[in-house]
């Protein structure tokens, strides 16, 4: 179990189930107690459908647990009104999605600057310089003005990483950031991600099955061990 | 990056749909602007044209037709009255000024108006002033001594290319009676700009039918009474006669305004249709854009954008497109009014295609508000987009 002197994130008695529309609900997640130490890097692994994305969404405050509470840097985000949770997320949580989810109408640089605009933490006049800087550190100096459709998958994912780091968030979540990349590119991107993102003041939670990640992580969490909902309930199949 | 740049970028991102929406808005706005400018101008022309004389005396028939024909030269010609009617009115003690008018053929489409110099006189009560730009007015001929001197309205002179000293006639049978230009009038912004004036005796000599008539004809007599209180009596007496009628142009003005009231109704319907089209277009365009964009919306939310921010982005985008469409529409509307004004000028109407008033800001603000209103439902759809559900395909 990951633990540290001061947990940055605490997940306590959290369950999540989805309504099925026919009156029944589908239980997906049931986690008794989980902490992530500040400044640590945790890799989450588990089979498909085991609730990894659901867990990250809950920690990001993108969705709410059915029961239980999640605390991020002493803030119980499950108790926050939605607007404040949005603001909290904008400033303190960077999220790299399973698919790149870049905004198609905007250039690489603008995608990063948009995250700053929504958070409002970086002063407007510093945004361009900071975004350029981040992208350059990820090797995207020559791609600043490219729209997502003109970026390779590896480049797009680097932009997504830069965007997650745009506000210098204390918590970075990454959901299989390299699942759709070929093995070599995945390794490169992950290595760069760690190089840029790892920081004593920053807590990383990365869903990944990549050796690079597993080796450099402080902790490895297996969903099968922490989620009391088995990942292949028959009702799950009927939903799909 | 500001929220406005985000909205504009989204507009650019779906350029074809955006342009189509903006064009439809622009067309609607242009339609409204042009119609109101032109109808306002037409109304104004009527007011200015009808109010100088208290009575118009002409042949029995439709009063509206008489006024339209004599004052605006619009309706088909009315039958003749006798010159004697003019002489009687001229010598009547109650009459201040009586001006005979005979209208007949035309030169290059510019109507011939036979009258006396009184037609142009600067009476103190006249709203309209005539000034000779070059040359002089025609001579008031003796009844049996036509001088064939013509004074040409500004538009007629310009379009037909007539200059002082020119001799002209239309049709071979008129070659015997050429008119000589002695003067060109300054523009009056009225139907008179498109007329060619000369003396009544010249008209009688030129017109084949008039030549043969023992009693010479006129089309109408314009009458100004010395006292307003004499008008009803004059009106009654002239209407008792079997051949003549007297008409208060101001009463006709009311009739015409009723017709224009109909035009106002048409304008109102146009306005309603335009409003519905704008609403529908913006609604459809924003609705489909929002549906197509749910994943991006979810992404922005996950990046920390609030629901209100998402709502505002949609409203801002539709506001921007209505703003652009509206602005283009106002410009195009004036261009259309400009062309329309030229066409109307040929019919003696003077309209100002660049009249600036409450119209432009009202229409512009109206269309922007409408655009924003149309985007309310799509904006709420965007507002309610579930983040986790649309963030990624389920694993
Ligand atoms: N919005 C939803 N509605 C219904 N079921 C969902 C929803 N989101 C996730 N699930 C279900 O929850 C389970 C866990 O999903 P997820 O957290 O995405 O798994 P993982 O990321 O580990 O592959 C899956 O069986 C999925 O079908
Ligand atoms: Mg997943």
């Amino acid at each position: 179990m990951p633990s540290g002197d001061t947990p940055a994130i605490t997940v306590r008695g959290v369950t999540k189930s989805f309504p099925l529309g026919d009156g029944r609900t589908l239980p997906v997640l049931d986690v008794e107690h989980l902490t992530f130490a500040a400044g640590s890097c945790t890799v989450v692994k588990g089979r498909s459908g085991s609730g990894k994305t659901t867990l990250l969404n809950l920690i990001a405050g993108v969705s709410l647990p059915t029961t239980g509470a999640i605390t991020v840097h002493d803030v119980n985000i499950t108790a926050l009104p939605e607007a404040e949770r949005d603001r909290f997320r904008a400033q303190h949580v960077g999220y790299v999605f399973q698919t790149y989810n870049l905004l198609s109408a905007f250039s690489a640089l603008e995608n990063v600057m948009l995250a700053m605009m929504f958070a409002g933490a970086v002063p407007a006049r510093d945004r361009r310089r900071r975004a350029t800087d981040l992208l350059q550190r990820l090797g995207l100096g020559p791609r600043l003005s490219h729209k997502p459709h003109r970026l390779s998958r590896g480049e797009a994912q680097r932009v997504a990483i830069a965007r997650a780091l745009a506000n210098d968030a204390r918590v970075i979540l990454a959901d299989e950031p390299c699942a759709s990349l070929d093995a070599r590119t995945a390794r490169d991107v992950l290595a760069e991600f760690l190089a840029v993102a790892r920081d004593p003041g920053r807590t990383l939670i990365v869903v990944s099955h990549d050796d690079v990640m597993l080796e450099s992580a402080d902790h490895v969490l297996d969903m099968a061990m922490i989620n009391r909902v088995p990942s292949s309930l028959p009702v799950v199949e009927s939903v799909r | 990056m500001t929220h406005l740049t985000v909205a504009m970028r989204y507009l650019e991102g779906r350029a074809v749909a955006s342009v189509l929406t903006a064009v439809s808005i622009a067309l609607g706005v242009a339609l409204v602007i042009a119609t109101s400018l032109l109808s306002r101008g037409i109304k104004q022309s009527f007011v200015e044209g009808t109010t100088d004389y208290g009575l118009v005396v002409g042949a029995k028939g439709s009063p509206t037709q008489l006024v339209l024909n004599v004052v605006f030269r619009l309706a088909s010609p009315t039958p003749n009255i006798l010159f004697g009617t003019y002489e009687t009115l001229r010598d009547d003690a109650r009459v201040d000024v009586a001006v005979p008018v005979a209208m007949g053929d035309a030169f290059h489409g510019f109507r011939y108006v036979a009258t006396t110099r009184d037609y142009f006189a600067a009476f103190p009560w006249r709203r309209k002033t005539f000034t000779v730009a070059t040359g002089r007015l025609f001579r008031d001929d003796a009844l049996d001594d036509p001088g064939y001197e013509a004074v040409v309205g500004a538009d007629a002179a310009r379009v037909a290319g007539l200059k002082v000293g020119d001799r002209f006639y239309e049709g071979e049978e008129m070659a015997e009676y050429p008119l000589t230009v002695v003067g060109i009038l300054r523009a009056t912004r009225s139907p008179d700009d498109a007329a060619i004036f000369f003396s009544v005796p010249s008209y009688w000599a030129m017109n084949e039918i008039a030549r043969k008539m023992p009693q010479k004809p006129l089309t109408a007599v314009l009458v100004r009474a010395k006292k307003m209180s004499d008008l009803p009596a004059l009106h009654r007496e002239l209407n008792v006669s079997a051949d003549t009628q007297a008409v208060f142009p101001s009463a006709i003005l009311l009739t015409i305004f009723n017709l224009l009231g109909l035009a106002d109704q048409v304008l109102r319907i146009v306005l309603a249709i335009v409003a519905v089209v704008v609403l529908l277009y913006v609604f459809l365009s924003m609705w489909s854009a929002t549906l197509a964009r749910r994943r991006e919306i979810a992404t922005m939310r996950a990046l920390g954008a609030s629901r209100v921010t998402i709502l505002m982005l949609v409203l801002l985008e539709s506001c921007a497109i209505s703003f652009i469409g509206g602005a283009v529409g106002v410009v195009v509307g004036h261009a259309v009014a400009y062309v329309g004004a030229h066409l109307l000028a040929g019919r003696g109407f003077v309209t100002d295609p660049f009249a600036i008033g409450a119209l432009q800001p009202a229409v512009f603000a109206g269309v922007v508000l409408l655009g924003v209103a149309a985007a309310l439902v799509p904006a709420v759809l965007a507002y309610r987009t579930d983040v986790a559900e649309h963030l990624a395909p389920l694993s």
Side-chain angles (χ1 to χ4, degrees):
Chain A
M1 284 278 105
S3 64
D5 301 328
T6 44
I9 299 161
T10 310
V11 178
R12 199 173 291 121
V14 163
T15 65
K16 178 72 179 174
S17 46
F18 293 102
L20 284 181
D22 58 359
R24 290 183 300 161
T25 55
L26 170 71
V28 167
L29 204 65
D30 182 352
V31 176
E32 196 184 8
H33 187 78
L34 203 55
T35 57
F36 298 86
S40 67
C41 172
T42 306
V43 167
V44 178
K45 65 175 193 174
R47 44 189 292 197
S48 174
S50 61
K52 304 182 295 292
T53 300
T54 304
L55 178 64
L56 289 202
N57 280 348
L58 290 174
I59 293 172
V62 155
S63 53
L64 282 177
T66 310
T67 61
I70 294 167
T71 309
V72 179
H73 283 288
D74 297 329
V75 176
N76 179 359
I77 59 163
T78 45
L80 287 180
E82 191 183 40
E84 280 179 41
R85 207 165 59 238
D86 289 336
R87 207 171 313 134
F88 183 85
R89 174 170 61 251
Q91 296 180 0
H92 300 294
V93 182
Y95 202 155
V96 185
F97 309 104
Q98 188 160 2
T99 41
Y100 329 116
N101 287 31
L102 294 182
L103 301 172
S104 58
F106 303 90
S107 70
L109 187 69
E110 286 165 343
N111 261 279
V112 179
M113 288 168 69
L114 267 177
M116 300 183 195
M117 185 185 94
F118 290 137
V122 180
R125 61 175 184 284
D126 296 341
R127 288 177 194 164
R128 179 170 295 272
R129 189 172 40 74
R130 179 170 162 74
T132 308
D133 198 49
L134 266 171
L135 288 166
Q136 275 168 350
R137 279 163 66 196
L138 284 156
L140 289 170
R143 302 276 184 280
L144 296 182
S145 58
H146 284 206
K147 296 259 175 81
H149 66 93
R150 288 181 54 213
L151 296 171
S152 73
R153 286 166 168 234
E155 287 164 350
Q157 202 57 325
R158 286 187 179 93
V159 175
I161 290 167
R163 188 174 65 180
L165 294 168
N167 293 306
D168 207 8
R170 288 191 285 177
V171 174
I172 301 291
L173 310 173
D175 190 1
E176 304 192 47
C178 297
S180 56
L181 304 183
D182 63 83
R184 250 199 73 193
T185 315
R187 244 193 337 272
D188 292 350
V189 172
L190 279 177
E192 282 172 40
F193 168 64
L194 287 173
V196 177
R198 275 213 86 157
D199 183 293
R202 203 181 268 144
T203 311
L204 306 184
I205 306 176
V206 185
V207 175
S208 177
H209 299 93
D210 216 289
D211 291 339
V212 185
M213 272 323 293
L214 292 168
E215 281 158 20
S216 43
D218 301 323
H219 312 282
V220 175
L221 270 185
D222 188 345
M223 288 305 283
M225 308 295 289
I226 56 164
N227 188 0
R228 290 187 292 199
V229 178
S231 63
S232 54
L233 284 177
V235 68
V236 174
E237 300 309 318
S238 72
V239 167
R240 300 289 208 80
Chain B
M1 294 235 92
T2 63
H3 290 84
L4 184 62
T5 38
V6 175
M8 294 305 291
R9 203 49 72 76
Y10 269 127
L11 280 182
E12 279 171 47
R14 48 188 189 109
V16 176
S18 303
V19 167
L20 279 180
T21 311
V23 164
S24 79
I25 294 174
L27 285 181
V29 169
L31 192 63
V32 172
I33 294 270
T35 355
S36 8
L37 280 176
L38 293 177
S39 75
R40 187 198 286 170
I42 289 172
K43 214 169 190 168
Q44 199 57 32
S45 301
F46 273 113
V47 176
E48 281 170 8
T50 42
T51 39
D52 269 358
Y53 293 94
L55 273 181
V56 175
V57 181
K60 273 257 182 317
S62 152
T64 311
Q65 193 190 349
L66 179 68
V67 171
L68 283 180
N69 183 38
V70 172
V71 181
F72 298 103
R73 322 233 155 81
L74 280 179
S76 47
T78 47
N80 290 323
I81 56 172
L82 297 177
F83 186 67
T85 309
Y86 161 67
E87 290 173 314
T88 317
L89 281 166
R90 182 190 59 195
D91 301 336
D92 191 306
R94 293 164 297 178
V95 171
D96 183 8
V97 181
V99 181
V101 175
M103 299 194 314
D105 311 310
F107 178 70
H108 290 214
F110 297 105
R111 293 286 288 275
Y112 285 162
V113 179
T115 183
T116 60
R117 291 174 72 126
D118 279 346
Y119 190 94
F120 309 100
F123 300 112
W125 43 265
R126 291 211 71 167
R127 300 158 130 241
K128 195 163 167 180
T129 48
F130 289 93
T131 351
V132 179
T134 48
R136 56 174 174 83
L137 290 178
F138 56 78
R139 222 176 57 210
D140 265 338
D141 304 322
L143 293 187
D144 52 356
D145 181 22
Y148 304 108
E149 292 182 346
V151 168
V152 186
D155 290 342
R158 182 170 43 79
V159 177
L162 291 173
K163 294 180 301 297
V164 172
D166 284 355
R167 283 156 75 83
F168 66 97
Y169 54 88
E170 187 157 275
E172 277 315 305
E173 67 280 7
M174 299 297 285
E176 272 183 72
Y177 308 98
L179 288 160
T180 306
V181 180
V182 296
I184 311 275
L185 293 172
R186 200 158 274 154
T188 58
R189 299 166 71 78
S190 77
D192 287 332
D193 292 347
I196 295 172
F197 302 90
F198 42 83
S199 71
V200 177
S202 302
Y203 171 74
W204 290 334
M206 286 160 60
N207 187 293
E208 197 182 345
I209 300 161
R211 268 201 304 276
K212 291 181 190 139
M213 290 170 77
Q215 295 256 45
K216 298 302 183 189
L218 281 181
T219 305
V221 184
L222 307 173
V223 177
R224 167 90 185 179
K226 284 186 179 133
K227 294 199 299 262
M228 285 296 275
S229 53
D230 287 333
L231 270 180
L234 275 168
H235 182 251
R236 205 172 326 111
E237 286 163 32
L238 286 156
N239 280 322
V240 167
S241 127
D243 314 314
T244 60
Q245 67 169 339
V247 179
F248 296 123
S250 46
I252 300 306
L253 198 65
L254 275 179
T255 316
I256 292 169
F257 277 1
N258 285 341
L259 285 175
L260 289 177
L262 193 71
D264 279 351
Q265 264 174 23
V266 171
L267 187 67
R268 226 165 286 143
I269 293 170
V270 167
L271 207 66
I273 293 174
V274 165
V276 169
V277 167
V278 167
L279 267 173
L280 267 182
Y281 245 91
V282 175
F283 171 78
L284 281 178
S285 128
M286 294 314 298
W287 179 267
S288 60
T290 300
L291 278 186
R293 239 180 249 161
R294 296 181 97 159
R295 182 150 162 213
E296 301 219 341
I297 290 169
T299 304
M300 289 194 241
R301 288 290 316 284
L303 290 176
S306 67
R307 283 189 196 273
V308 175
T309 302
I310 299 297
L311 182 99
M312 292 311 293
L313 281 177
V314 176
L315 293 183
L316 205 56
E317 187 175 340
S318 75
C319 183
I321 194 144
S322 323
F323 190 94
I324 295 168
V328 172
V330 169
V331 173
V332 172
H334 282 99
V336 171
Y338 179 76
V339 174
H342 262 265
L343 296 178
L344 282 174
R347 304 180 144 232
F349 286 109
V350 179
T351 57
D352 179 2
F354 300 110
I356 305 290
L359 172 73
Q360 291 85 350
V363 172
F364 186 71
V367 81
V368 172
L369 281 181
L370 216 58
V372 173
L376 278 177
V377 173
V380 169
L381 176 74
Y383 177 92
R384 295 176 52 154
T385 301
D386 184 86
V387 183
E389 191 182 330
H390 291 99
L391 208 46
L394 296 182
S395 56

